[in-house]
Amino acid sequence: MRVVIAEDSVLLREGLTRLLTDRGHEVVAGVGDGEALIKTITELAAQDELPDVVVADVRMPPTHTDEGVRAAVRLRRRHPGLGVLVLSQYVEEQYATELLAGSSRGVGYLLKDRVAEVREFVDAVARVARGGTALDPEVVAQLLGRSRKQDVLAGLTPREREVLGLMAEGRTNSAIARQLVVSDGAVEKHVSNIFLKLGLSPSDGDHRRVLAVLTYLNS
């Protein structure tokens, strides 16, 4: 396969290049920032020599925040058939979600630690180049965890969400009743429904209110 590597660490870039070329793959270019990546791919595409896959660091110069993943997203839009595998030091859900927002075909997101597992890493690059998907287990775990939280809150009615939002502000049931211009009993009923839908049993005692708020804030 033909690969372009975008990594600002010269040592890691050269290491990735050696790792891939030693296994018979061709690294057609190596760059150190997002703009250089976009320029290189644009030039290769103009020559009808688009690579099979791009391996890019999420964070690159000049700000070392999200240049790599933003370049990857732009390239995916321009060249839907281009495989893109991004590497990150940590799981960053926002970037993973952004990359996967379109088609998941030919997309990968791995933690840099996986590079040490040479065979699995090379297999992941090849899989993405062929149009498959390669997602780090840690990324999957966090995205599924967030999805479950959102699904739980999706079961609340608009009024229950409103009550939970006021609970998160630290308001008591009486204060919530005054804010919503309803009876204390109505608020208690909403709160009970919230506990039930969030799976918080009476055995959780007074902690149920805290747990409900934490679920809301983490969603």
Side-chain angles (χ1 to χ4, degrees):
M1 62 187 167
R2 301 174 70 250
V3 186
V4 170
I5 298 174
E7 166 61 58
D8 62 297
S9 167
V10 176
L11 184 62
L12 181 54
R13 188 166 71 238
E14 292 300 319
L16 291 172
T17 299
R18 179 67 180 273
L19 186 154
L20 291 167
T21 54
D22 282 353
R23 284 156 182 78
H25 304 298
E26 180 186 2
V27 176
V28 297
V31 299
D33 61 73
E35 288 303 317
L37 173 59
I38 291 174
K39 180 180 178 182
T40 297
I41 296 299
T42 300
E43 292 174 349
L44 289 171
Q47 299 166 16
D48 198 25
E49 296 182 356
L50 196 68
D52 299 303
V53 61
V54 167
V55 178
D57 189 359
V58 166
R59 298 172 179 243
M60 289 194 288
T63 67
H64 292 279
T65 54
D66 61 356
E67 284 84 358
V69 74
R70 291 205 175 280
V73 170
R74 286 171 62 184
L75 289 174
R76 288 279 295 173
R77 290 171 181 163
R78 294 181 186 178
H79 310 286
L82 175 66
V84 173
L85 172 64
V86 299
L87 301 176
S88 178
Q89 193 70 39
Y90 312 101
V91 177
E92 302 182 74
E93 291 182 29
Q94 177 184 346
Y95 300 151
T97 302
E98 188 172 2
L99 188 66
L100 295 166
S103 170
S104 61
R105 180 177 173 80
V107 172
Y109 187 110
L110 296 179
L111 296 183
K112 287 188 175 180
D113 289 347
R114 306 298 175 189
V115 176
E117 301 167 5
V118 177
R119 178 177 294 180
E120 292 184 16
F121 173 71
V122 175
D123 286 348
V125 177
R127 188 160 64 251
V128 171
R130 293 192 301 266
T133 303
L135 294 180
D136 196 284
E138 291 296 326
V139 175
V140 173
Q142 290 202 25
L143 291 179
L144 286 177
R146 185 180 64 178
S147 176
R148 283 193 293 268
K149 292 172 190 172
Q150 291 175 333
D151 287 344
V152 169
L153 292 189
L156 302 181
T157 66
R159 176 62 93 181
E160 288 164 356
R161 279 177 169 270
E162 193 173 10
V163 169
L164 184 53
L166 292 171
M167 287 168 61
E169 293 177 12
R171 299 177 188 244
T172 63
N173 285 2
S174 296
I176 293 173
R178 289 194 298 271
Q179 176 71 23
L180 299 180
V181 194
V182 296
S183 68
D184 287 358
V187 172
E188 290 174 6
K189 182 177 179 180
H190 288 313
V191 171
S192 294
N193 287 339
I194 291 169
F195 290 157
L196 179 65
K197 292 180 179 179
L198 295 185
L200 302 174
S201 67
S203 62
D204 291 316
D206 293 336
H207 295 298
R208 286 195 296 175
R209 198 176 187 92
V210 175
L211 292 172
V213 169
L214 287 174
T215 300
Y216 174 82
L217 294 177
N218 288 328
S219 67

